[in-house]
Amino acid sequence: MASVGGTAVQDHVALAEIELCGELIIAASAARERLSLESIDEVLRVAEERSRAQ
C-alpha cells in the first residue's frame, strides 16, 4: 500500500494479479514436470471466472 498525499492507495487489480502469480509459482515449483494448460487454468481459476461472467 503506497501513501500518496497522506491517503492510502491500493490497486486491487494489481494485488489480485500478484496473488495469482504467487499461486502459479508455488504450483510450478511443486510440480515434477511442466504444468499443463489445464493445470495452469485450474491454478488461475479460469473456469470460476468464466462462470461468473455468464
Side-chain angles (χ1 to χ4, degrees):
M1 191 166 15
S3 182
V4 177
T7 308
V9 177
Q10 284 188 357
D11 185 339
H12 297 286
V13 173
L15 292 173
E17 288 179 0
I18 291 166
E19 182 179 343
L20 289 174
C21 286
E23 291 176 17
L24 192 55
I25 291 168
I26 291 167
S29 66
R32 293 187 176 196
E33 37 187 73
R34 292 181 106 173
L35 293 177
S36 67
L37 293 177
E38 293 80 16
S39 296
I40 293 170
D41 285 350
E42 184 178 325
V43 170
L44 298 178
R45 299 186 283 274
V46 171
E48 291 175 24
E49 290 300 317
R50 284 186 183 150
S51 65
R52 280 189 216 163
Q54 294 177 354

